[in-house]
Short mmCIF file of all heavy atoms in Angstrom, two decimals:
data_model
loop_
_atom_site.label_atom_id
_atom_site.label_comp_id
_atom_site.label_asym_id
_atom_site.label_seq_id
_atom_site.Cartn_x
_atom_site.Cartn_y
_atom_site.Cartn_z
N ASN A 34 -93.91 -77.09 -4.17
CA ASN A 34 -93.14 -76.63 -3.03
C ASN A 34 -93.14 -77.65 -1.90
O ASN A 34 -92.13 -77.86 -1.25
CB ASN A 34 -93.66 -75.29 -2.51
CG ASN A 34 -93.19 -74.13 -3.37
OD1 ASN A 34 -92.28 -74.29 -4.18
ND2 ASN A 34 -93.80 -72.99 -3.21
N LEU A 35 -94.27 -78.31 -1.68
CA LEU A 35 -94.34 -79.34 -0.65
C LEU A 35 -93.43 -80.52 -1.00
O LEU A 35 -92.73 -81.06 -0.14
CB LEU A 35 -95.78 -79.83 -0.45
CG LEU A 35 -96.71 -78.88 0.29
CD1 LEU A 35 -98.13 -79.43 0.30
CD2 LEU A 35 -96.22 -78.63 1.70
N GLN A 36 -93.44 -80.91 -2.26
CA GLN A 36 -92.58 -82.01 -2.69
C GLN A 36 -91.11 -81.63 -2.56
O GLN A 36 -90.29 -82.42 -2.11
CB GLN A 36 -92.90 -82.41 -4.14
CG GLN A 36 -94.23 -83.11 -4.28
CD GLN A 36 -94.65 -83.25 -5.74
OE1 GLN A 36 -94.05 -82.67 -6.62
NE2 GLN A 36 -95.69 -84.04 -5.97
N ALA A 37 -90.79 -80.41 -2.94
CA ALA A 37 -89.40 -79.94 -2.81
C ALA A 37 -89.00 -79.87 -1.35
O ALA A 37 -87.88 -80.24 -0.98
CB ALA A 37 -89.25 -78.57 -3.48
N SER A 38 -89.92 -79.42 -0.50
CA SER A 38 -89.65 -79.34 0.93
C SER A 38 -89.42 -80.72 1.52
O SER A 38 -88.51 -80.93 2.33
CB SER A 38 -90.82 -78.65 1.63
OG SER A 38 -90.64 -78.65 3.01
N ALA A 39 -90.22 -81.70 1.12
CA ALA A 39 -90.05 -83.07 1.61
C ALA A 39 -88.70 -83.63 1.16
O ALA A 39 -88.01 -84.30 1.94
CB ALA A 39 -91.19 -83.95 1.11
N LYS A 40 -88.33 -83.36 -0.08
CA LYS A 40 -87.05 -83.84 -0.58
C LYS A 40 -85.90 -83.19 0.18
O LYS A 40 -84.94 -83.86 0.56
CB LYS A 40 -86.92 -83.57 -2.08
CG LYS A 40 -85.68 -84.16 -2.70
CD LYS A 40 -85.66 -84.01 -4.19
CE LYS A 40 -84.43 -84.69 -4.76
NZ LYS A 40 -84.41 -84.67 -6.20
N THR A 41 -86.01 -81.89 0.43
CA THR A 41 -84.99 -81.17 1.18
C THR A 41 -84.87 -81.74 2.59
O THR A 41 -83.77 -81.98 3.09
CB THR A 41 -85.32 -79.66 1.25
OG1 THR A 41 -85.36 -79.16 -0.08
CG2 THR A 41 -84.30 -78.90 2.05
N ASP A 42 -86.02 -81.98 3.25
CA ASP A 42 -86.00 -82.55 4.59
C ASP A 42 -85.41 -83.95 4.59
O ASP A 42 -84.69 -84.32 5.53
CB ASP A 42 -87.41 -82.57 5.20
CG ASP A 42 -87.83 -81.20 5.72
OD1 ASP A 42 -86.98 -80.31 5.84
OD2 ASP A 42 -89.03 -81.03 6.01
N SER A 43 -85.69 -84.72 3.56
CA SER A 43 -85.13 -86.06 3.47
C SER A 43 -83.61 -86.01 3.37
O SER A 43 -82.90 -86.76 4.04
CB SER A 43 -85.72 -86.79 2.26
OG SER A 43 -85.15 -88.06 2.13
N LEU A 44 -83.12 -85.11 2.54
CA LEU A 44 -81.67 -84.94 2.40
C LEU A 44 -81.06 -84.43 3.71
O LEU A 44 -79.98 -84.87 4.10
CB LEU A 44 -81.35 -83.99 1.25
CG LEU A 44 -81.68 -84.49 -0.15
CD1 LEU A 44 -81.48 -83.38 -1.18
CD2 LEU A 44 -80.85 -85.70 -0.50
N THR A 45 -81.77 -83.52 4.38
CA THR A 45 -81.29 -82.99 5.64
C THR A 45 -81.22 -84.09 6.69
O THR A 45 -80.23 -84.20 7.42
CB THR A 45 -82.21 -81.84 6.12
OG1 THR A 45 -82.23 -80.82 5.13
CG2 THR A 45 -81.73 -81.26 7.44
N PHE A 46 -82.26 -84.92 6.77
CA PHE A 46 -82.26 -86.03 7.72
C PHE A 46 -81.07 -86.95 7.47
O PHE A 46 -80.33 -87.30 8.39
CB PHE A 46 -83.58 -86.82 7.63
CG PHE A 46 -83.60 -88.04 8.51
CD1 PHE A 46 -83.92 -87.92 9.85
CD2 PHE A 46 -83.27 -89.28 8.00
CE1 PHE A 46 -83.91 -89.04 10.68
CE2 PHE A 46 -83.26 -90.41 8.80
CZ PHE A 46 -83.59 -90.28 10.15
N THR A 47 -80.89 -87.32 6.21
CA THR A 47 -79.79 -88.21 5.85
C THR A 47 -78.44 -87.59 6.20
O THR A 47 -77.55 -88.26 6.73
CB THR A 47 -79.85 -88.55 4.35
OG1 THR A 47 -81.11 -89.15 4.07
CG2 THR A 47 -78.73 -89.48 3.93
N LYS A 48 -78.31 -86.30 5.92
CA LYS A 48 -77.06 -85.59 6.23
C LYS A 48 -76.80 -85.61 7.74
O LYS A 48 -75.67 -85.87 8.17
CB LYS A 48 -77.13 -84.15 5.71
CG LYS A 48 -75.87 -83.35 5.96
CD LYS A 48 -76.01 -81.95 5.41
CE LYS A 48 -74.79 -81.11 5.77
NZ LYS A 48 -74.97 -79.70 5.42
N TYR A 49 -77.82 -85.33 8.55
CA TYR A 49 -77.65 -85.36 10.00
C TYR A 49 -77.24 -86.74 10.48
O TYR A 49 -76.37 -86.87 11.34
CB TYR A 49 -78.93 -84.93 10.72
CG TYR A 49 -79.20 -83.45 10.71
CD1 TYR A 49 -80.49 -82.96 10.55
CD2 TYR A 49 -78.18 -82.51 10.90
CE1 TYR A 49 -80.77 -81.60 10.56
CE2 TYR A 49 -78.45 -81.14 10.90
CZ TYR A 49 -79.74 -80.70 10.73
OH TYR A 49 -80.00 -79.35 10.74
N MET A 50 -77.85 -87.78 9.93
CA MET A 50 -77.52 -89.14 10.35
C MET A 50 -76.07 -89.48 9.97
O MET A 50 -75.35 -90.08 10.76
CB MET A 50 -78.49 -90.15 9.74
CG MET A 50 -79.92 -90.03 10.26
SD MET A 50 -80.09 -90.29 12.03
CE MET A 50 -79.81 -92.06 12.13
N GLU A 51 -75.65 -89.07 8.78
CA GLU A 51 -74.27 -89.32 8.35
C GLU A 51 -73.28 -88.54 9.22
O GLU A 51 -72.23 -89.07 9.60
CB GLU A 51 -74.09 -88.93 6.88
CG GLU A 51 -74.77 -89.87 5.92
CD GLU A 51 -74.78 -89.37 4.49
OE1 GLU A 51 -74.34 -88.22 4.22
OE2 GLU A 51 -75.24 -90.13 3.62
N GLN A 52 -73.62 -87.30 9.53
CA GLN A 52 -72.74 -86.49 10.36
C GLN A 52 -72.64 -87.07 11.78
O GLN A 52 -71.57 -87.04 12.40
CB GLN A 52 -73.22 -85.03 10.41
CG GLN A 52 -73.00 -84.30 9.11
CD GLN A 52 -73.59 -82.91 9.11
OE1 GLN A 52 -74.65 -82.67 9.68
NE2 GLN A 52 -72.90 -81.98 8.46
N ALA A 53 -73.75 -87.59 12.28
CA ALA A 53 -73.73 -88.23 13.61
C ALA A 53 -72.81 -89.45 13.59
O ALA A 53 -72.01 -89.65 14.52
CB ALA A 53 -75.15 -88.64 14.02
N ASP A 54 -72.91 -90.23 12.53
CA ASP A 54 -72.05 -91.41 12.41
C ASP A 54 -70.58 -91.02 12.35
O ASP A 54 -69.73 -91.61 13.02
CB ASP A 54 -72.46 -92.21 11.17
CG ASP A 54 -71.72 -93.54 11.06
OD1 ASP A 54 -71.71 -94.28 12.06
OD2 ASP A 54 -71.16 -93.82 9.98
N GLN A 55 -70.27 -90.02 11.55
CA GLN A 55 -68.88 -89.56 11.42
C GLN A 55 -68.36 -89.01 12.75
O GLN A 55 -67.22 -89.29 13.14
CB GLN A 55 -68.77 -88.51 10.32
CG GLN A 55 -69.00 -89.06 8.93
CD GLN A 55 -69.22 -87.97 7.90
OE1 GLN A 55 -69.15 -86.79 8.19
NE2 GLN A 55 -69.51 -88.38 6.67
N ALA A 56 -69.18 -88.24 13.44
CA ALA A 56 -68.76 -87.68 14.73
C ALA A 56 -68.54 -88.81 15.75
O ALA A 56 -67.58 -88.76 16.52
CB ALA A 56 -69.81 -86.70 15.25
#
Side-chain angles (χ1 to χ4, degrees):
N34 281 346
L35 286 175
Q36 289 169 349
S38 175
K40 186 173 183 175
T41 300
D42 282 347
S43 178
L44 292 173
T45 301
F46 175 83
T47 302
K48 181 180 175 188
Y49 284 141
M50 293 299 288
E51 288 171 355
Q52 288 175 324
D54 187 50
Q55 292 166 3

